[in-house]
Amino acid sequence: MEGDAVKDLGVHTTNGANIPSCCLKARAFPIDPAVEANCHPTVVSGWFSDKAAKKMYFNNPMWPGEAHSLEVEKILFKEKSEYQEVLVFESTSYGKVLVLDGILQLTEKDECAYQEMIAHLPLCSIESPKKVLVLGGGDGGVLREVSRHSSVESIDICEIDKMVIDVSKKFFPELALGFEDPRVHLHVGDAVEFIRNTPPGKYDAIIVDSSDPVGPALELVEKPFFEMLARALRPGGVLCNMAESMWLHTHLIQDMINVCREIFKGSVHYAWTSVPTYPSGVIGFILCSTDGPTVDFKIPINPIEKVEGALEHRRELKFYNSQLQILCRKCCQAFQKYIDMV
Amino acid sequence: MEGDAVKDLGVHTTNGANIPSCCLKARAFPIDPAVEANCHPTVVSGWFSDKAAKKMYFNNPMWPGEAHSLEVEKILFKEKSEYQEVLVFESTSYGKVLVLDGILQLTEKDECAYQEMIAHLPLCSIESPKKVLVLGGGDGGVLREVSRHSSVESIDICEIDKMVIDVSKKFFPELALGFEDPRVHLHVGDAVEFIRNTPPGKYDAIIVDSSDPVGPALELVEKPFFEMLARALRPGGVLCNMAESMWLHTHLIQDMINVCREIFKGSVHYAWTSVPTYPSGVIGFILCSTDGPTVDFKIPINPIEKVEGALEHRRELKFYNSQLQILCRKCCQAFQKYIDMV
């Protein structure tokens, strides 16, 4: 859920009117001045300041009708980059928190679940991944996880917002250490342009660690983007793309799955995990493979436990394991009805 | 997470000072006048009223440092019973919501996950369950799920607060329909007294659908309560007890597991599921069996899919399935380190 790497797909898609109401994420500040204007006087720039109790809360507007608030111990950083408002604060219960344009991106306490799953779900599903691309992911957390794989020879990352990288290096050293790996090649720029200029078949795996596919990033669920991703993968290469909550966005997920099934001739799957500070407490992933050697995302053929040094590389693995991959792919009765998730 | 069925264990245990800070659930109203006094003027009785935007929010104080808010469409009921404050409102995004003493108990949108899991995890783990006891569960949701099992001959329920039952019948017919089953025998009273007077070995399965085991219900993690539960079960009988969040309460869960391992000579397991409106978006269950025929909670030997008429009984099964039972028992790397969850 990082950066705003994918800004312009060169396709005419983004239209607020087309976003279903359940997906219309409230953007607190400074994207929508109307939201700001409607805020209660105590909610300042997405912050709920309880002056009577001398407590301050970061009020994360998630989806219409609900919000999650974290108590703020101290604001550490607040600045506007070329692309977005970047905010870092120390919370009382989830460690340091990164917020972009008013939307919570990660907390120190639960980032492990997201970063480990989005990286190892694809990388453990193919043998000896060598060339990996990360789109977005400017905090470095996904890089940290990808670099656990000793087979990997090069990791390209394309992040549009340098401020996110700098802020992560300053405030989130446990994530930014991902940049220290000599195999990492950083490209600061637009992810769509980057992927458009990528030679066909270059990568074994691509991980899209982007903003939510609503509002400005709605293009992420559009066909042209997935077509470019598929083209950049080798036969039997894998894509892992952040794919929202099964509790809140069944139709959006179904749309993504349908689009991916048209484009990816290998397999297309959905998986999810628990992340307390994300909307509805879960986050999903869409996993796809291109035509070529068969990829079965249900069974990690490259189990992390057998990758030399992987469990302790730079930082111990905290969340992911092979069993979790097998199980997280399963979904519940309800969602199976709405989404054909096989 | 229902009722306050377990009020008095007859043991000297509850002592606020002993509750770890991460477990100290803020009770909004009217339990702790200090909380009320500290509230911002716009937070009235646990409600955040955003007058500028003419919106009202139910501000659910969960654990120190965070809160989850639901937008209120209409307050449907608010009254003080002999035991607690009972509140029902229509939310804009999760349907009708039941709140006891300021703590969210269930929403129409996600109650299926909790009710189905707490009932079918134990009942699908033994062959032909016949006698079942539910402690708490005054909304009727667990009864609805237990009654899917055609082998069941009698379902005793002991709920202390009649107002919860009446309110459920009025506002939550999809849950209260559980009371309509002729096998159900309702006992309005104290659960501890009920279990103390239960003949040994009476039940095949006991489901404890109680308040959170913090504050007044801290006794729930105490040995005497579990001893009485074990005594009331037949050899190889099963218990399923609500057991909080693995993200927030590892030590509490570990304590429960340790206590249960001392008492239950069969097997003791932990399982969890996603419930968006509960703290950290998950809820856990502790599963125990008494000495006798072996119970393996990992594999449902009485799969719901094979129980005659179970999937459509009164209301379609929405969440649970056999695969989910297998997977939900697994836990992630992080929690396995802190909690021996096997």
Side-chain angles (χ1 to χ4, degrees), chain A residues 38-43 48-53 57 62 64-71 92-94 109-110 112-113 246-248 272 274-276 280-282 305 316-321 323-324 327 330-337, chain B residues 38-43 48-53 57 62 64-71 92-94 109-110 112-113 246-248 272 274-276 280-282 305 316-321 323-324 327 330-337:
Chain A
N38 278 334
C39 271
H40 188 272
T42 56
V43 182
F48 174 65
S49 172
D50 181 351
K51 284 167 194 156
Y57 290 90
M62 303 203 299
E66 62 178 315
H68 185 237
S69 308
L70 289 178
E71 191 181 342
T92 58
S93 51
Y94 280 84
K109 179 166 177 162
D110 64 4
C112 61
M246 61 200 182
W247 283 101
L248 301 168
W272 62 278
S274 152
V275 182
S280 80
V282 298
E305 295 82 0
E316 63 174 353
L317 196 70
K318 288 190 175 182
F319 192 88
Y320 173 91
N321 62 28
Q323 281 190 317
L324 199 67
L327 68 89
K330 309 279 186 186
C331 248
C332 62
Q333 199 88 7
F335 309 117
Q336 276 174 343
K337 256 176 228 167
Chain B
N38 277 334
C39 271
H40 188 272
T42 56
V43 181
F48 174 64
S49 173
D50 180 351
K51 284 167 194 156
Y57 290 89
M62 303 201 299
E66 62 178 316
H68 185 237
S69 308
L70 289 178
E71 191 181 341
T92 58
S93 50
Y94 280 84
K109 179 166 177 163
D110 64 4
C112 61
M246 62 200 182
W247 282 101
L248 301 168
W272 63 278
S274 152
V275 182
S280 79
V282 297
E305 295 82 0
E316 62 174 354
L317 195 71
K318 287 190 174 181
F319 192 88
Y320 173 92
N321 61 28
Q323 281 190 319
L324 199 68
L327 68 89
K330 310 278 186 187
C331 248
C332 63
Q333 200 88 7
F335 309 116
Q336 276 173 344
K337 258 177 227 166

Side-chain angles (χ1 to χ4, degrees), chain A residues 163-194:
Chain A
M163 191 186 281
V164 172
I165 300 166
D166 295 340
V167 156
S168 185
K169 285 182 177 170
K170 186 162 181 194
F171 297 105
F172 299 94
E174 288 248 329
L175 286 102
L177 58 78
F179 285 102
E180 290 167 21
D181 196 286
R183 295 168 291 177
V184 169
H185 308 286
L186 169 63
H187 308 263
V188 176
D190 179 62
V192 177
E193 206 179 298
F194 185 88

Side-chain angles (χ1 to χ4, degrees), chain A residues 28-328:
Chain A
F29 176 84
I31 291 292
D32 185 357
V35 171
E36 185 80 330
N38 278 334
C39 271
H40 188 272
T42 56
V43 182
V44 182
S45 303
W47 297 76
F48 174 65
S49 172
D50 181 351
K51 284 167 194 156
K54 290 189 180 160
K55 280 184 179 173
M56 183 159 59
Y57 290 90
F58 166 69
N59 189 20
N60 190 24
M62 303 203 299
W63 268 260
E66 62 178 315
H68 185 237
S69 308
L70 289 178
E71 191 181 342
V72 177
E73 206 165 282
K74 197 180 173 187
I75 301 171
L76 301 172
F77 182 90
K78 190 176 180 185
E79 219 164 284
K80 219 170 152 4
S81 79
E82 198 182 334
Y83 303 99
Q84 54 205 337
E85 167 95 9
V86 181
L87 169 72
V88 180
F89 67 87
E90 184 75 47
S91 70
T92 58
S93 51
Y94 280 84
K96 285 200 278 289
V97 180
L98 175 66
V99 178
L100 299 178
D101 277 349
I103 306 295
L104 184 145
Q105 301 294 311
L106 63 88
T107 80
E108 283 184 317
K109 179 166 177 162
D110 64 4
E111 58 90 12
C112 61
Y114 175 75
Q115 317 277 5
E116 293 183 13
M117 293 295 275
I118 200 171
H120 303 306
L121 285 174
L123 295 183
C124 293
S125 298
I126 53 174
E127 280 184 84
S128 296
K130 287 186 178 59
K131 289 182 194 308
V132 180
L133 170 64
V134 179
L135 298 179
D139 56 55
V142 174
L143 298 177
R144 177 191 71 207
E145 295 308 319
V146 173
S147 66
R148 290 187 197 276
H149 290 262
S150 50
S151 66
V152 168
E153 293 166 0
S154 77
I155 312 169
D156 285 328
I157 173 168
C158 184
E159 162 66 49
I160 202 166
D161 197 343
K162 193 165 175 300
M163 191 186 281
V164 172
I165 300 166
D166 295 340
V167 156
S168 185
K169 285 182 177 170
K170 186 162 181 194
F171 297 105
F172 299 94
E174 288 248 329
L175 286 102
L177 58 78
F179 285 102
E180 290 167 21
D181 196 286
R183 295 168 291 177
V184 169
H185 308 286
L186 169 63
H187 308 263
V188 176
D190 179 62
V192 177
E193 206 179 298
F194 185 88
I195 196 80
R196 197 181 275 128
N197 296 326
T198 297
K202 181 170 179 184
Y203 295 106
D204 298 298
I206 299 176
I207 296 164
V208 183
D209 180 15
S210 68
S211 301
D212 300 303
V214 288
L218 190 65
E219 302 100 319
L220 283 181
V221 299
E222 295 292 331
K223 224 172 148 182
F225 181 62
F226 285 108
E227 277 168 349
M228 286 190 277
L229 292 171
R231 204 184 50 93
L233 285 169
R234 68 156 167 84
V238 290
L239 165 72
C240 185
N241 204 324
M242 193 274 287
E244 296 298 332
S245 160
M246 61 200 182
W247 283 101
L248 301 168
H249 306 99
T250 45
H251 59 277
L252 191 78
I253 296 166
Q254 186 64 68
D255 284 353
M256 287 177 81
I257 288 173
N258 291 345
V259 163
C260 287
R261 283 218 175 109
E262 270 185 64
I263 294 163
F264 290 85
K265 302 301 181 193
S267 49
V268 175
H269 290 276
Y270 189 78
W272 62 278
T273 192
S274 152
V275 182
T277 57
Y278 285 171
S280 80
V282 298
I283 192 79
F285 307 100
I286 192 160
L287 291 157
C288 311
S289 69
T290 52
D291 202 13
T294 308
V295 177
D296 181 358
F297 290 107
K298 289 192 288 271
I299 299 150
I301 59 157
N302 177 31
I304 194 79
E305 295 82 0
K306 292 195 176 163
V307 175
E308 202 192 326
L311 302 185
E312 297 296 334
H313 185 76
R314 292 184 191 264
R315 190 181 90 159
E316 63 174 353
L317 196 70
K318 288 190 175 182
F319 192 88
Y320 173 91
N321 62 28
S322 289
Q323 281 190 317
L324 199 67
Q325 170 149 2
I326 296 165
L327 68 89
C328 88

